[in-house]
Amino acid sequence: MATIHNLEIAERMRAIRELSDYTVEEMAALMHISAEEYASYETGSVDIPISALYDMSNTLQVSITELLTGEQAKMRVYSVTRAGKGVEVERSSAYKYRDLAHNFAGRRVSPFLVTIAPADEAEPYHLNTHTGHEYHYCLEGAFKIQINGNEIEIRQGDSLYFDSSFPHGMKAMDGKPANVLVVVI
């Protein structure tokens, strides 16, 4: 499956919102963000946080797969994602997401392989919030994560579970990318 870019997701967000008969202002209010912020997601002029995709998915009762790919998930018993496959989502230069269960309908958790790009230590964290919890397992490299003002270093083999309603963001360490299994619950 090809890489899905931010602009494609933005176009689907707009189309699904319009089909659901919501204005930009109504959708923004339901997602607890400003209309200007929401409108910037729909134009693709800014990176769309995964938290915004989850909030929209939950609000409009569409699957995250549908927002990402425009297709409905079909598998109901099991879904295999082979090495190097899955839906690759490029919504930010800081993170690359690969959805590892994109074809399973009605899933209760969303597993992603996330590659965190190296960043300047002086750069501020790009923080997100969304309902639910997250589990992170560092497969390779090391990263710092800030959760509600607390900074935690995670290295290969370390794991972390947290309430994702608190502001959180990640940065790779040591000038190298980090690969992380992220499960959004």
Side-chain angles (χ1 to χ4, degrees):
M1 187 167 269
T3 301
I4 298 167
H5 297 281
N6 199 50
L7 192 52
E8 294 172 86
I9 298 168
E11 290 170 359
R12 270 190 287 284
M13 287 178 73
R14 181 189 46 75
I16 291 170
R17 175 190 53 79
E18 288 175 349
L19 287 170
S20 299
D21 206 25
Y22 285 103
T23 66
V24 166
E25 293 76 18
E26 290 168 334
M27 194 69 222
L30 289 167
M31 293 173 59
H32 308 291
I33 59 175
S34 71
E36 294 77 23
E37 183 178 2
Y38 181 82
S40 70
Y41 297 157
E42 281 195 4
T43 63
S45 62
V46 299
D47 294 335
I48 305 167
I50 199 75
S51 57
L53 295 174
Y54 270 95
D55 285 347
M56 184 174 195
S57 171
N58 291 331
T59 300
L60 297 180
Q61 297 181 349
V62 297
S63 73
I64 195 80
T65 297
E66 197 166 348
L67 277 176
L68 295 176
T69 68
E71 298 174 8
Q72 290 187 353
K74 296 169 181 68
M75 304 306 292
R76 297 197 181 278
V77 176
Y78 67 89
S79 175
V80 174
T81 302
R82 300 290 180 201
K85 302 296 181 187
V87 174
E88 189 172 299
V89 182
E90 194 172 295
R91 7 159 315 281
S92 162
S93 58
Y95 310 121
K96 289 199 186 322
Y97 286 80
R98 185 176 301 272
D99 188 336
L100 301 176
H102 68 282
N103 205 22
F104 195 88
R107 65 185 179 195
R108 293 188 182 100
V109 301
S110 294
F112 295 95
L113 176 59
V114 178
T115 301
I116 308 167
D120 180 355
E121 287 286 323
E123 276 186 47
Y125 285 92
H126 178 72
L127 300 175
N128 294 300
T129 61
H130 55 91
T131 58
H133 294 170
E134 287 188 28
Y135 172 78
H136 293 201
Y137 181 83
C138 187
L139 299 165
E140 181 179 27
F143 67 99
K144 289 182 182 178
I145 183 166
Q146 187 181 88
I147 304 169
N148 200 34
N150 299 292
E151 188 175 79
I152 306 154
E153 287 187 11
I154 304 293
R155 299 197 172 273
Q156 185 173 336
D158 293 346
S159 65
L160 170 70
Y161 187 98
F162 63 95
D163 181 337
S164 50
S165 68
F166 291 99
H168 58 282
M170 304 177 290
K171 289 188 211 177
M173 295 170 45
D174 306 326
K176 298 176 186 168
N179 287 314
V180 184
L181 174 63
V182 173
V183 180
V184 180
I185 305 162

